[in-house]
Amino acid sequence: MESHSLEKFTKKFYEDKREFLEENYPGISLHRLMQELQHYSEDEQQKRFFDSLEKGVPLEYIRSRAYFYRSEFIVNENVLIPRNETEILVERAAQFANKLHRSLDERLKFVDVGTGSGAIALSLIQELDFPVDALATDISEDALNVAKKNNFFLRFKYSKDSQLDFIQTDRLAGVTEKFHLIVSNPPYIKEEDDRHKVHGQVESYEPHLALYIKDAKYDQWFTDFFKQVDEALLEEGLFFMEGHEDHLQGQKTLLEQFNFTDVEVIKDYTGRDRFLKGIKKCKN
Ligand SMILES: C[S@@+](CC[C@H](N)C(=O)[O-])C[C@H]1O[C@@H](n2cnc3c(N)ncnc32)[C@H](O)[C@@H]1O
């Protein structure tokens, strides 16, 4: 479409579908739509863009790209679209790692559990200007394929001596290495109790494996996870996890039953409980 007629068409589309667009794309403006359209030069691509918008497909999935922290990541329907609030986790983990590095006489080792697009692991490794050994796990092979692609394209952004490996496993099952830092944004929505709070667009398009845990298995899932974390974390190492505002206080009590100290629930920028942190205790 000619740029003038494309602009006219988009304006009319925006006005006609305003209510639907505002419901599915909170805060969307005509200007933003025009910006997104700049990624599509061919008629066929533009048509596909409008068709996807009419279905409510998240913009990130339409373009297969999402911004997180300092990079653009490839995303598809097999991975969660990385969220702004998760950037706090990267920031805090990077602060810890930078400080710890100064007192270490070995390479710092970290693991990202449930890596999805790889957004956390790759952003964190970029924040560290020293070589590290990192691991990223996910139970989904399809998600890991996306993470590996992102690693391929972002490899140049981190120390060439750093090593980032990927393994398909259930949380940390079978991982025998020990780490100075364990980060995770695991699935944390209770499939039944919490579902009503999930936006329709998230429910329809994002992978349920990345979002939900069955209510009946929820507490056991985190008990098993914390046990693995306890075993895999080196003394004085940090565990930093994103979680659900309704369950983090309970999970704080649970984590305290393992070998952790300084266990804290941390809020996000909107003032909601969003993260759980703990330091692995020293034995003596
Ligand atoms: C909330 S998403 C987080 C994705 C990414 N880390 C981020 O922050 O954008 C949770 C991820 O955990 C993975 N996952 C779900 N169950 C898992 C399990 N038992 N073990 C490992 N990964 C799991 C999902 O496939 C998904 O990629």
Side-chain angles (χ1 to χ4, degrees):
M1 227 185 276
E2 295 275 320
S3 77
H4 178 66
S5 38
L6 180 64
E7 200 175 323
K8 240 171 111 183
F9 179 88
T10 310
K11 213 166 166 188
K12 178 146 180 15
F13 180 92
Y14 181 74
E15 277 157 15
D16 290 351
K17 316 234 177 248
R18 197 163 186 156
E19 212 175 305
F20 174 84
L21 291 172
E22 276 169 5
E23 166 67 24
N24 285 281
Y25 304 93
I28 191 100
S29 61
L30 177 61
H31 178 69
R32 175 77 202 279
L33 275 191
M34 294 304 299
Q35 271 182 332
E36 283 292 321
L37 265 169
Q38 286 172 7
H39 299 294
Y40 311 104
S41 52
E42 292 166 23
D43 285 4
E44 194 49 41
Q45 293 174 327
Q46 291 163 355
K47 181 175 176 319
R48 232 181 296 133
F49 175 71
F50 286 110
D51 287 350
S52 302
L53 277 185
E54 283 194 297
K55 292 190 202 134
V57 181
L59 292 172
E60 291 85 349
Y61 287 147
I62 301 178
R63 200 165 78 79
S64 308
R65 295 288 183 284
Y67 287 105
F68 179 79
Y69 214 78
R70 301 187 202 280
S71 303
E72 199 179 50
F73 289 85
I74 297 167
V75 291
N76 66 21
E77 70 287 353
N78 297 307
V79 298
L80 188 95
I81 298 166
R83 304 293 203 270
N84 291 343
E85 59 265 25
T86 307
E87 295 178 344
I88 298 176
L89 183 155
V90 174
E91 238 166 55
R92 297 287 291 253
Q95 276 166 12
F96 173 85
N98 275 314
K99 197 166 161 209
L100 181 68
H101 166 68
R102 281 181 237 136
S103 61
L104 278 186
D105 47 17
E106 57 177 331
R107 274 163 80 104
L108 187 134
K109 295 188 277 284
F110 81 80
V111 58
D112 171 24
V113 181
T115 199
S117 61
I120 295 176
L122 283 160
S123 300
L124 182 53
I125 204 168
Q126 280 174 45
E127 282 301 281
L128 310 175
D129 55 6
F130 48 87
V132 298
D133 288 328
L135 180 67
T137 80
D138 206 291
I139 203 161
S140 155
E141 191 183 357
D142 292 330
L144 282 173
N145 287 335
V146 176
K148 286 177 194 170
K149 256 190 223 160
N150 281 316
N151 186 38
F152 179 81
F153 289 112
L154 295 171
R155 186 74 189 80
F156 74 97
K157 283 195 164 190
Y158 62 86
S159 165
K160 67 177 177 16
D161 297 322
S162 282
Q163 179 69 29
L164 173 58
D165 293 322
F166 297 89
I167 60 162
Q168 185 185 7
T169 191
D170 181 354
R171 288 155 281 182
L172 286 166
V175 174
T176 51
E177 298 112 285
K178 306 258 183 202
F179 303 90
H180 300 99
L181 171 63
I182 299 180
V183 287
S184 184
N185 177 15
Y188 57 70
I189 303 170
K190 282 192 179 174
E191 199 168 35
E192 284 155 38
D193 277 5
D194 301 331
R195 206 173 195 130
H196 65 282
K197 289 193 188 164
V198 176
H199 193 281
Q201 203 195 28
V202 174
E203 165 73 21
S204 304
Y205 293 103
E206 302 213 46
H208 287 192
L209 186 59
L211 302 171
Y212 299 116
I213 298 183
K214 294 207 177 315
D215 297 30
K217 292 193 174 160
Y218 198 88
D219 291 343
Q220 193 58 49
W221 198 96
F222 282 95
T223 306
D224 295 345
F225 183 31
F226 292 173
K227 186 166 185 291
Q228 289 180 339
V229 169
D230 189 2
E231 279 163 14
L233 203 55
L234 289 160
E235 287 182 12
E236 294 190 74
L238 171 72
F239 172 51
F240 205 103
M241 180 192 92
E242 185 167 326
H244 193 287
E245 57 179 326
D246 295 344
H247 311 309
L248 282 167
Q249 292 296 343
Q251 287 169 345
K252 173 176 183 276
T253 309
L254 180 62
L255 191 64
E256 280 164 342
Q257 289 163 20
F258 291 89
N259 299 302
F260 287 88
T261 176
D262 297 329
V263 179
E264 249 182 273
V265 171
I266 293 165
K267 293 185 189 302
D268 62 20
Y269 294 129
T270 69
R272 292 198 179 90
D273 284 355
R274 179 64 61 201
F275 306 100
L276 179 65
K277 144 222 154 188
I279 300 282
K280 178 77 186 276
K281 271 185 197 155
C282 288
K283 288 229 167 66
N284 28 14

